[in-house]
Amino acid sequence: MKSAAVVNYAPEKGSVEVREIETPTIGSEDVLLEVANVGVCGSDLHQWTADHSWPVNYPVVLGHEFGGRIVEIGKDVEGWKVGDRVVSETAAIISPNNPMTKRGLYNLDPTRKGFGYGVNGAMTKYVRVPSRILHHVPDQLPFEQACLTEPCCVAYSAVVKNARIEPGDRVVVLGPGTIGILCAAMARLCGAQVAIVGLPQDAHRLEIAKQYGCEVIIGDAKPWATARDGLGCDGVIDAAGASITLKIALDIVRPAGWISKVGWGPQPLGFNLDPLVQKNITLQGSFSHNWPIWERVIALLSSGQFDVKPIIGGVWPVTEWHEAFEKMHKGEVVKSVLRPV
């Protein structure tokens, strides 16, 4: 049986189209998932515009933020049954013998390959998923929201695991994309006062950040960062896809403060890192997520403590992927969601 799929077929700019693909065959430890919804990630856009910095296994079906129901089970799969509502992590291929995997940090296994660039992703009707990365989705959590567990896990990792927020901290988030807004919302959940910083063209996305109780700053964040005692904010979450924002972070953070860097861009730095040393700043990278983070985030989403509804700008059929991508690319919506046809 064939289904429509959004395929990135070559490294050149704009090399994405809808193709009919066969339903995948599964291995003994896999399940076949019927996709309910799939989120569009900035990385999907980067592969479409050909300004990504990671190797892609062309042609590949895009999409790594997804949820759905199990429709087939491999013969060695335990603990899952047909009809289960699930979301899947992104680490489609990992080495069980890698030292990072053995520590439970398989997201940092250098040989890891993910959906949507390393193996076929979920912008189609059926996707093959290893059962080891499945998580149950409670009935009360709609798939339109559950499919965004993955970016929420990125935010949880950056804000909770790789930063040190205390209630009452003053935290600045640089970059009002999906991850920036979710990081800001997560920092609010941790009890911080949060300002999110963007450019004039980010006005619509910044308005959505206000729904999470964040201050919004277009331009210079230093006055807000230094408002309490003149020394700077307690922490900065750098969620912008450019190198220059790190310079801003070093400038506005207080001595002995922290920076959690989750955004990345290929540009060289081109500025002096002495403030990092002089101010005794902790600079922490944050990449991906693992099993316990997913369980915690699903609990937060299911209980209503963490709400992703404000960032969802619409749901499009996969055949209308281009409009969904364009609206995100132009900043008209924070997050586009697709559904298979």
Side-chain angles (χ1 to χ4, degrees), residues 8-341:
N8 182 197
Y9 57 85
E12 287 75 37
K13 184 175 182 176
S15 298
V16 173
E17 65 184 13
V18 174
R19 293 183 177 179
E20 293 287 314
I21 64 162
E22 292 288 346
T23 300
T25 53
I26 62 170
S28 63
E29 295 183 347
D30 300 329
V31 304
L32 187 67
L33 199 64
E34 182 175 4
V35 179
N37 288 108
V38 52
V40 180
C41 177
S43 63
D44 297 311
L45 300 182
H46 285 307
Q47 285 176 225
W48 171 51
T49 54
D51 54 3
H52 59 288
S53 55
W54 51 89
V56 176
N57 188 18
Y58 303 103
V60 72
V61 179
L62 291 172
H64 61 265
E65 306 175 356
F66 62 98
R69 293 181 188 276
I70 295 173
V71 291
E72 187 185 338
I73 287 191
K75 63 180 176 60
D76 296 330
V77 171
E78 294 179 8
W80 299 101
K81 64 184 187 302
V82 169
D84 281 349
R85 302 177 84 242
V86 294
V87 287
S88 168
E89 296 182 39
T90 54
I93 298 174
I94 54 172
S95 166
N97 296 317
N98 188 274
M100 300 314 292
T101 303
K102 289 185 172 184
R103 285 175 57 187
L105 297 175
Y106 50 85
N107 53 308
L108 303 179
D109 170 2
T111 68
R112 166 190 177 276
K113 287 187 171 60
F115 294 104
Y117 69 91
V119 303
N120 280 338
M123 288 186 186
T124 184
K125 196 168 179 67
Y126 298 102
V127 62
R128 181 180 75 191
V129 181
S131 59
R132 65 178 162 79
I133 50 174
L134 294 173
H135 294 263
H136 274 290
V137 175
D139 290 342
Q140 73 264 29
L141 184 61
F143 278 124
E144 279 177 23
Q145 296 167 41
C147 75
L148 303 183
T149 304
E150 195 274 342
C152 295
C153 289
V154 172
Y156 190 97
S157 192
V159 174
V160 181
K161 292 295 183 186
N162 288 315
R164 45 171 201 264
I165 293 181
E166 295 180 15
D169 276 352
R170 222 161 161 80
V171 172
V172 172
V173 177
L174 303 174
T178 300
I179 299 302
I181 292 173
L182 290 174
C183 283
M186 200 67 77
R188 291 281 300 136
L189 196 60
C190 294
Q193 294 178 355
V194 180
I196 186 163
V197 185
L199 301 167
Q201 62 262 36
D202 298 320
H204 169 70
R205 294 190 288 197
L206 290 167
E207 279 300 310
I208 288 165
K210 282 185 183 174
Q211 295 181 42
Y212 290 106
C214 301
E215 298 266 346
V216 163
I217 298 171
I218 292 176
D220 185 11
K222 192 141 192 194
W224 190 88
T226 56
R228 276 193 193 161
D229 59 8
L231 288 176
C233 58
D234 298 284
V236 179
I237 297 155
D238 181 353
S243 299
I244 195 66
T245 47
L246 182 60
K247 187 177 186 185
I248 297 167
L250 292 169
D251 181 47
I252 64 177
V253 75
R254 67 195 295 106
W258 53 266
I259 300 167
S260 178
K261 184 154 175 53
V262 64
W264 50 353
Q267 314 90 346
L269 284 177
F271 54 84
N272 188 310
L273 283 175
D274 282 354
L276 182 76
V277 181
Q278 186 179 19
K279 289 166 80 172
N280 208 94
I281 296 163
T282 302
L283 174 60
Q284 172 73 53
S286 185
F287 179 71
S288 193
H289 30 66
N290 57 6
W291 177 269
I293 292 174
W294 278 72
E295 288 291 298
R296 182 59 55 94
V297 167
I298 291 167
L300 289 171
L301 291 170
S302 301
S303 69
Q305 281 178 280
F306 196 77
D307 183 10
V308 292
K309 289 195 292 294
I311 70 164
I312 300 172
V315 181
W316 287 264
V318 292
T319 46
E320 293 174 24
W321 69 270
H322 194 269
E323 184 185 343
F325 278 38
E326 277 285 356
K327 282 193 177 296
M328 244 179 98
H329 190 54
K330 290 177 178 170
E332 291 174 27
V333 302
V334 175
K335 177 63 79 172
S336 296
V337 174
L338 301 178
R339 56 177 168 77
V341 292

